[in-house]
mmCIF file with all atom_site columns, all heavy atoms in Angstrom:
data_model
loop_
_atom_site.group_PDB
_atom_site.id
_atom_site.type_symbol
_atom_site.label_atom_id
_atom_site.label_alt_id
_atom_site.label_comp_id
_atom_site.label_asym_id
_atom_site.label_entity_id
_atom_site.label_seq_id
_atom_site.pdbx_PDB_ins_code
_atom_site.Cartn_x
_atom_site.Cartn_y
_atom_site.Cartn_z
_atom_site.occupancy
_atom_site.B_iso_or_equiv
_atom_site.pdbx_formal_charge
_atom_site.auth_seq_id
_atom_site.auth_comp_id
_atom_site.auth_asym_id
_atom_site.auth_atom_id
_atom_site.pdbx_PDB_model_num
ATOM 1  N N   . CYS A 1 123 ? 64.883 11.593 33.880 1.00 0.00 ? 278 CYS A N   1
ATOM 2  C CA  . CYS A 1 123 ? 64.640 12.256 35.227 1.00 0.00 ? 278 CYS A CA  1
ATOM 3  C C   . CYS A 1 123 ? 65.927 12.602 35.933 1.00 0.00 ? 278 CYS A C   1
ATOM 4  O O   . CYS A 1 123 ? 65.973 13.570 36.731 1.00 0.00 ? 278 CYS A O   1
ATOM 5  C CB  . CYS A 1 123 ? 63.666 11.505 36.067 1.00 0.00 ? 278 CYS A CB  1
ATOM 6  S SG  . CYS A 1 123 ? 64.234 9.898  36.572 1.00 0.00 ? 278 CYS A SG  1
ATOM 7  N N   . HIS A 1 128 ? 64.096 19.782 36.128 1.00 0.00 ? 283 HIS A N   1
ATOM 8  C CA  . HIS A 1 128 ? 62.763 19.632 36.863 1.00 0.00 ? 283 HIS A CA  1
ATOM 9  C C   . HIS A 1 128 ? 62.460 18.238 37.372 1.00 0.00 ? 283 HIS A C   1
ATOM 10 O O   . HIS A 1 128 ? 61.550 18.015 38.031 1.00 0.00 ? 283 HIS A O   1
ATOM 11 C CB  . HIS A 1 128 ? 61.678 20.046 35.849 1.00 0.00 ? 283 HIS A CB  1
ATOM 12 C CG  . HIS A 1 128 ? 61.832 19.467 34.432 1.00 0.00 ? 283 HIS A CG  1
ATOM 13 N ND1 . HIS A 1 128 ? 61.599 18.140 34.169 1.00 0.00 ? 283 HIS A ND1 1
ATOM 14 C CD2 . HIS A 1 128 ? 62.237 20.013 33.272 1.00 0.00 ? 283 HIS A CD2 1
ATOM 15 C CE1 . HIS A 1 128 ? 61.851 17.931 32.923 1.00 0.00 ? 283 HIS A CE1 1
ATOM 16 N NE2 . HIS A 1 128 ? 62.292 19.049 32.351 1.00 0.00 ? 283 HIS A NE2 1
ATOM 17 N N   . GLY A 1 129 ? 63.398 17.286 37.026 1.00 0.00 ? 284 GLY A N   1
ATOM 18 C CA  . GLY A 1 129 ? 63.276 15.922 37.604 1.00 0.00 ? 284 GLY A CA  1
ATOM 19 C C   . GLY A 1 129 ? 62.176 15.099 36.959 1.00 0.00 ? 284 GLY A C   1
ATOM 20 O O   . GLY A 1 129 ? 61.885 13.991 37.490 1.00 0.00 ? 284 GLY A O   1
ATOM 21 N N   . HIS A 1 130 ? 61.623 15.498 35.880 1.00 0.00 ? 285 HIS A N   1
ATOM 22 C CA  . HIS A 1 130 ? 60.548 14.688 35.225 1.00 0.00 ? 285 HIS A CA  1
ATOM 23 C C   . HIS A 1 130 ? 61.207 13.809 34.206 1.00 0.00 ? 285 HIS A C   1
ATOM 24 O O   . HIS A 1 130 ? 62.316 14.059 33.713 1.00 0.00 ? 285 HIS A O   1
ATOM 25 C CB  . HIS A 1 130 ? 59.388 15.494 34.668 1.00 0.00 ? 285 HIS A CB  1
ATOM 26 C CG  . HIS A 1 130 ? 58.404 15.834 35.697 1.00 0.00 ? 285 HIS A CG  1
ATOM 27 N ND1 . HIS A 1 130 ? 57.527 14.875 36.214 1.00 0.00 ? 285 HIS A ND1 1
ATOM 28 C CD2 . HIS A 1 130 ? 58.173 17.028 36.429 1.00 0.00 ? 285 HIS A CD2 1
ATOM 29 C CE1 . HIS A 1 130 ? 56.820 15.435 37.215 1.00 0.00 ? 285 HIS A CE1 1
ATOM 30 N NE2 . HIS A 1 130 ? 57.139 16.746 37.314 1.00 0.00 ? 285 HIS A NE2 1
ATOM 31 N N   . ARG A 1 206 ? 65.286 7.958  44.687 1.00 0.00 ? 361 ARG A N   1
ATOM 32 C CA  . ARG A 1 206 ? 65.274 9.396  44.292 1.00 0.00 ? 361 ARG A CA  1
ATOM 33 C C   . ARG A 1 206 ? 66.413 10.186 45.022 1.00 0.00 ? 361 ARG A C   1
ATOM 34 O O   . ARG A 1 206 ? 66.946 11.087 44.473 1.00 0.00 ? 361 ARG A O   1
ATOM 35 C CB  . ARG A 1 206 ? 63.884 10.038 44.404 1.00 0.00 ? 361 ARG A CB  1
ATOM 36 C CG  . ARG A 1 206 ? 62.965 9.369  43.352 1.00 0.00 ? 361 ARG A CG  1
ATOM 37 C CD  . ARG A 1 206 ? 61.585 9.935  43.286 1.00 0.00 ? 361 ARG A CD  1
ATOM 38 N NE  . ARG A 1 206 ? 60.736 9.152  42.468 1.00 0.00 ? 361 ARG A NE  1
ATOM 39 C CZ  . ARG A 1 206 ? 59.478 9.233  42.353 1.00 0.00 ? 361 ARG A CZ  1
ATOM 40 N NH1 . ARG A 1 206 ? 58.817 10.164 43.111 1.00 0.00 ? 361 ARG A NH1 1
ATOM 41 N NH2 . ARG A 1 206 ? 58.807 8.453  41.530 1.00 0.00 ? 361 ARG A NH2 1
ATOM 42 N N   . GLY A 1 210 ? 69.184 11.412 42.778 1.00 0.00 ? 365 GLY A N   1
ATOM 43 C CA  . GLY A 1 210 ? 68.863 12.869 42.735 1.00 0.00 ? 365 GLY A CA  1
ATOM 44 C C   . GLY A 1 210 ? 67.858 13.163 41.604 1.00 0.00 ? 365 GLY A C   1
ATOM 45 O O   . GLY A 1 210 ? 67.993 14.117 40.883 1.00 0.00 ? 365 GLY A O   1
ATOM 46 N N   . SER A 1 211 ? 66.824 12.427 41.676 1.00 0.00 ? 366 SER A N   1
ATOM 47 C CA  . SER A 1 211 ? 65.784 12.494 40.557 1.00 0.00 ? 366 SER A CA  1
ATOM 48 C C   . SER A 1 211 ? 64.378 12.808 41.008 1.00 0.00 ? 366 SER A C   1
ATOM 49 O O   . SER A 1 211 ? 63.433 12.509 40.283 1.00 0.00 ? 366 SER A O   1
ATOM 50 C CB  . SER A 1 211 ? 65.855 11.264 39.752 1.00 0.00 ? 366 SER A CB  1
ATOM 51 O OG  . SER A 1 211 ? 65.334 10.209 40.510 1.00 0.00 ? 366 SER A OG  1
ATOM 52 N N   . ALA A 1 212 ? 64.215 13.375 42.184 1.00 0.00 ? 367 ALA A N   1
ATOM 53 C CA  . ALA A 1 212 ? 62.884 13.661 42.616 1.00 0.00 ? 367 ALA A CA  1
ATOM 54 C C   . ALA A 1 212 ? 62.244 14.773 41.788 1.00 0.00 ? 367 ALA A C   1
ATOM 55 O O   . ALA A 1 212 ? 62.949 15.765 41.497 1.00 0.00 ? 367 ALA A O   1
ATOM 56 C CB  . ALA A 1 212 ? 62.894 14.066 44.129 1.00 0.00 ? 367 ALA A CB  1
ATOM 57 N N   . PRO A 1 213 ? 61.012 14.616 41.304 1.00 0.00 ? 368 PRO A N   1
ATOM 58 C CA  . PRO A 1 213 ? 60.439 15.767 40.556 1.00 0.00 ? 368 PRO A CA  1
ATOM 59 C C   . PRO A 1 213 ? 60.356 16.988 41.351 1.00 0.00 ? 368 PRO A C   1
ATOM 60 O O   . PRO A 1 213 ? 59.995 16.952 42.462 1.00 0.00 ? 368 PRO A O   1
ATOM 61 C CB  . PRO A 1 213 ? 59.033 15.191 40.207 1.00 0.00 ? 368 PRO A CB  1
ATOM 62 C CG  . PRO A 1 213 ? 58.751 13.981 41.016 1.00 0.00 ? 368 PRO A CG  1
ATOM 63 C CD  . PRO A 1 213 ? 60.072 13.507 41.562 1.00 0.00 ? 368 PRO A CD  1
ATOM 64 N N   . GLN A 1 214 ? 60.625 18.164 40.724 1.00 0.00 ? 369 GLN A N   1
ATOM 65 C CA  . GLN A 1 214 ? 60.683 19.417 41.371 1.00 0.00 ? 369 GLN A CA  1
ATOM 66 C C   . GLN A 1 214 ? 59.222 19.995 41.574 1.00 0.00 ? 369 GLN A C   1
ATOM 67 O O   . GLN A 1 214 ? 59.012 20.871 42.386 1.00 0.00 ? 369 GLN A O   1
ATOM 68 C CB  . GLN A 1 214 ? 61.527 20.412 40.661 1.00 0.00 ? 369 GLN A CB  1
ATOM 69 C CG  . GLN A 1 214 ? 63.014 19.966 40.541 1.00 0.00 ? 369 GLN A CG  1
ATOM 70 C CD  . GLN A 1 214 ? 63.582 19.680 41.972 1.00 0.00 ? 369 GLN A CD  1
ATOM 71 O OE1 . GLN A 1 214 ? 63.627 20.608 42.840 1.00 0.00 ? 369 GLN A OE1 1
ATOM 72 N NE2 . GLN A 1 214 ? 64.014 18.455 42.199 1.00 0.00 ? 369 GLN A NE2 1
ATOM 73 N N   . ARG A 1 218 ? 54.640 11.741 39.282 1.00 0.00 ? 373 ARG A N   1
ATOM 74 C CA  . ARG A 1 218 ? 54.803 10.991 38.037 1.00 0.00 ? 373 ARG A CA  1
ATOM 75 C C   . ARG A 1 218 ? 53.461 10.330 37.593 1.00 0.00 ? 373 ARG A C   1
ATOM 76 O O   . ARG A 1 218 ? 53.476 9.456  36.877 1.00 0.00 ? 373 ARG A O   1
ATOM 77 C CB  . ARG A 1 218 ? 55.890 9.968  38.143 1.00 0.00 ? 373 ARG A CB  1
ATOM 78 C CG  . ARG A 1 218 ? 57.222 10.553 38.582 1.00 0.00 ? 373 ARG A CG  1
ATOM 79 C CD  . ARG A 1 218 ? 58.319 9.717  37.912 1.00 0.00 ? 373 ARG A CD  1
ATOM 80 N NE  . ARG A 1 218 ? 59.648 9.875  38.542 1.00 0.00 ? 373 ARG A NE  1
ATOM 81 C CZ  . ARG A 1 218 ? 60.390 10.923 38.533 1.00 0.00 ? 373 ARG A CZ  1
ATOM 82 N NH1 . ARG A 1 218 ? 59.977 12.022 38.012 1.00 0.00 ? 373 ARG A NH1 1
ATOM 83 N NH2 . ARG A 1 218 ? 61.575 10.949 39.154 1.00 0.00 ? 373 ARG A NH2 1
#
Side-chain angles (χ1 to χ4, degrees):
C278 65
H283 44 74
H285 278 287
R361 293 184 186 165
S366 67
Q369 299 304 301
R373 303 210 201 293

